[in-house]
Amino acid sequence: MKLCSIEGCNEVHHAKGYCNEHYRSFHRHGDPFKIARNKNRICEIEGCKEPYRAKGYCKKHYFSHYWKVNK
């Protein structure tokens, strides 16, 4: 099993020598070190402890907000 070529990353190889996350960053930004996601962020809704998804919200709150705005 091949691993990501980025030093310190022990994720499984996906493409071009990178794991899925580093490859996605390389593909989008041209730089495998520019990781857009912050795995430690949580939802900004008070009392919610779910992991961040987008625009400051967890998956549940993001889609709730999306459907209110895009009826």
Side-chain angles (χ1 to χ4, degrees):
M1 171 172 59
K2 291 172 69 175
L3 296 178
C4 182
S5 63
I6 301 295
E7 188 174 332
C9 182
N10 294 320
E11 297 294 319
V12 177
H13 170 267
H14 174 72
K16 297 197 183 267
Y18 304 122
C19 66
N20 193 35
E21 190 169 12
H22 284 114
Y23 175 74
R24 188 178 323 119
S25 178
F26 173 75
H27 183 71
R28 288 183 181 169
H29 307 288
D31 181 5
F33 295 101
K34 187 173 184 178
I35 302 294
R37 291 184 174 173
N38 185 340
K39 293 180 180 181
N40 297 324
R41 282 182 71 180
I42 60 170
C43 183
E44 294 177 3
I45 300 294
E46 190 171 332
C48 184
K49 303 273 191 245
E50 293 297 312
Y52 170 87
R53 162 115 181 181
K55 301 191 187 275
Y57 303 118
C58 65
K59 183 176 181 178
K60 180 179 106 179
H61 289 116
Y62 173 77
F63 283 112
S64 174
H65 170 74
Y66 175 85
W67 288 116
K68 285 179 188 174
V69 173
N70 298 295
K71 288 184 178 185

